[in-house]
Amino acid sequence: MIDSSRSAQRTVIQFLLAEGEHASHIYRRMKEVYGEQWLVRCIIFRWCQRYEAGRANIKDLPRPGQVHVVTNSATILAVDELMRLNRRITTREIAVELSISKGTVHHIIHKKLGYGKICA
């Protein structure tokens, strides 16, 4: 079984470029080898351009946007404390109180703390 992950395919693109292959030939070879899991033509050409410009890393660069908040033990304890103080508190109120997203609060409550509704 061939590893068809994006990073594996990027490594193959980088290798074939280093051997002097042209982007269109790399595209044809990738299509033959990977079948349904191959990267589309424009993506292969884009990575060829990046490697020809001197890029060495096969991983994606960080993208701008909202920073991902990691749920650490302090945040989990704070959510648990708020819920124990007021069992009728909403996820929105917890999110505002702790300056985290409602999705993060939901994840902590259900996945980390294992709480769920007893009755609707």
Side-chain angles (χ1 to χ4, degrees), residues 73-102:
S73 58
T75 308
I76 294 169
L77 288 173
V79 170
D80 192 31
E81 180 73 22
L82 288 172
M83 290 183 66
R84 288 180 188 274
L85 291 174
N86 178 7
R87 65 186 182 103
R88 293 184 181 271
I89 194 167
T90 65
T91 55
R92 178 183 216 145
E93 292 169 339
I94 295 171
V96 169
E97 179 76 25
L98 300 177
S99 299
I100 57 178
S101 71
K102 288 190 308 182

Side-chain angles (χ1 to χ4, degrees), residues 29-97:
R29 288 183 67 181
M30 297 281 287
K31 189 174 175 182
E32 288 173 11
V33 172
Y34 289 102
E36 295 292 319
Q37 282 81 35
W38 57 280
L39 294 171
V40 293
R41 184 178 185 271
C42 63
I43 301 294
I44 292 174
F45 277 63
R46 186 178 307 144
W47 278 99
C48 287
Q49 288 175 341
R50 289 174 181 167
Y51 292 136
E52 287 172 346
R55 182 165 176 182
N57 192 351
I58 61 168
K59 296 186 187 272
D60 287 324
L61 297 175
R63 295 180 181 176
Q66 185 175 6
V67 178
H68 178 72
V69 177
V70 177
T71 54
N72 54 29
S73 58
T75 308
I76 294 169
L77 288 173
V79 170
D80 192 31
E81 180 73 22
L82 288 172
M83 290 183 66
R84 288 180 188 274
L85 291 174
N86 178 7
R87 65 186 182 103
R88 293 184 181 271
I89 194 167
T90 65
T91 55
R92 178 183 216 145
E93 292 169 339
I94 295 171
V96 169
E97 179 76 25

